[in-house]
Amino acid sequence: MDLFEIKVEITPASVDETDNLLLELGIEGWSLLEDVIEKRAWVVGIFQSGDEARAQWDALRPQLGGAPIGEAGLRALGNSDWRDSYKAHFKAWKFGRLHWVPVWERDKFTLPRGEEVIWLDPGMAFGTGNHETTRLCVERLVELPFNRDARVIDAGCGSGILALSAAKLGYENVRGFDNDPDAVRVSIENAELNDMAGRVDFFTGDLVTGLAGHKAEIVMANILANVLIEFAKELTDSVAPGGVLILSGILASENEQVRDAYAKIVPQWKIEHRTMGEWSDVLLRAP
């Protein structure tokens, strides 16, 4: 079955703003491509039909303001062509003993002894984990002292990459939830892609129902700053004594605001933060 690609060039100056918008909207099917050498960038959508592609563009276009500088181009794209078009942008990467490798490199990839791999489908839902917000979370997770009995919660799991990474590292009690049933479905599919069906308890829930009655030594939430602030009480209440709360999805310019909000709720907790590009994280350690 052919897929349909709709692609429009945007101004280089609007890349960060457009990236933030796509992240905030959470609309499945859209991505941002950037050529830093040529200083050009494009918004690209891949959909099941030409009509759907045009309808999705009509909905997105007004929110982009003056970013587009060209007309949207539509073309039929076979599955193999679609996957091949992503290969130039999605590369394997690693941190510590965990590798994230595109599934098309599965046959030629050699995993070093004692290390683990997450296979990444270049599809619209899983991506590569290369976005700074994901990498900040993953790096924090890898750096933590390992205890296989530690409970892990991925709040707002999206495509499941953080929860599955935790399971690959050897954590045996991992839960992931999202308020979007499609995200939960995709997370389960990605677990199957990695021969990890049933290793993570994925379910539908929000930051109230998903956390209610549960505590964990490691809680991760890669969402958005305003949501993290709004649900700070629920997130901190879900951290077991001596546990950590890893927050991401925070623009660097919003980091102080997030830290201040949490310091008011849990003033006795230790708070750290890091920046990666335009993005940042906050790590809280419970006493």
Side-chain angles (χ1 to χ4, degrees):
M1 179 184 69
D2 283 351
L3 297 173
F4 286 80
E5 176 194 80
I6 190 162
K7 182 176 181 179
V8 61
E9 188 167 359
I10 62 173
T11 62
S14 67
V15 166
D16 288 342
E17 182 179 355
T18 302
D19 191 26
N20 296 343
L21 175 65
L22 294 177
L23 184 66
E24 290 171 1
L25 293 175
I27 304 175
E28 197 169 295
W30 290 105
S31 60
L32 184 66
L33 299 181
E34 183 178 10
D35 186 329
V36 295
I37 304 298
E38 296 292 333
K39 296 184 179 180
R40 300 178 68 187
W42 300 263
V43 172
V44 182
I46 298 176
F47 301 98
Q48 298 290 333
S49 69
D51 288 342
E52 181 186 5
R54 282 186 286 266
Q56 291 283 358
W57 171 244
D58 289 342
L60 179 64
R61 173 64 183 87
Q63 302 186 69
L64 294 177
I69 56 175
E71 295 297 321
L74 179 69
R75 67 175 179 132
L77 193 66
N79 275 317
S80 59
D81 294 333
W82 167 61
R83 288 179 180 271
D84 287 344
S85 71
Y86 278 76
K87 292 184 179 180
H89 304 281
F90 292 171
K91 304 297 183 182
W93 63 285
K94 68 165 291 190
F95 188 81
R97 62 185 182 90
L98 194 55
H99 298 250
W100 293 266
V101 181
V103 70
W104 61 76
E105 296 184 10
R106 195 167 197 160
D107 291 340
K108 62 182 181 181
F109 178 77
T110 301
L111 181 66
R113 179 176 295 182
E115 301 190 356
E116 297 290 343
V117 60
I118 292 283
W119 302 111
L120 301 168
D121 192 300
M124 295 170 282
F126 207 174
T128 67
N130 271 309
H131 195 281
E132 289 92 338
T133 59
T134 306
R135 294 194 65 156
L136 284 162
C137 270
V138 164
E139 291 185 6
R140 290 287 194 185
L141 177 66
V142 172
E143 290 170 339
L144 291 174
F146 176 67
N147 175 2
R148 72 172 61 254
D149 296 325
R151 295 162 292 180
V152 181
I153 296 176
D154 181 3
C157 62
S159 61
I161 188 170
L162 295 177
L164 292 173
S165 294
K168 275 289 187 179
L169 287 171
Y171 292 99
E172 296 182 350
N173 187 341
V174 184
R175 300 166 59 86
F177 65 85
D178 201 286
N179 62 3
D180 182 354
D182 284 337
V184 175
R185 173 185 56 80
V186 167
S187 295
I188 293 171
E189 290 175 355
N190 288 327
E192 294 170 350
L193 172 68
N194 282 277
D195 301 319
M196 298 173 67
R199 288 276 302 278
V200 176
D201 178 17
F202 287 115
F203 62 97
T204 303
D206 56 33
L207 290 176
V208 175
T209 62
L211 294 171
H214 297 286
K215 285 186 178 291
E217 284 70 29
I218 302 171
V219 179
M220 300 178 287
N222 180 13
I223 311 179
L224 291 170
N226 63 317
V227 178
L228 295 174
I229 292 173
E230 180 180 355
F231 293 95
K233 181 69 164 58
E234 288 81 0
L235 285 163
T236 52
D237 282 350
S238 69
V239 181
V244 297
L245 174 60
I246 302 169
L247 307 176
S248 191
I250 307 165
L251 286 167
S253 59
E254 300 170 325
N255 193 280
E256 184 176 2
Q257 182 182 0
V258 173
R259 283 184 282 128
D260 288 347
Y262 278 79
K264 291 177 182 177
I265 295 176
V266 286
Q268 72 279 26
W269 291 23
K270 294 181 179 179
I271 303 179
E272 308 167 16
H273 70 284
R274 293 189 305 186
T275 299
M276 184 180 292
E278 298 292 324
W279 298 92
S280 65
D281 71 1
V282 173
L283 175 69
L284 297 103
R285 299 181 186 273

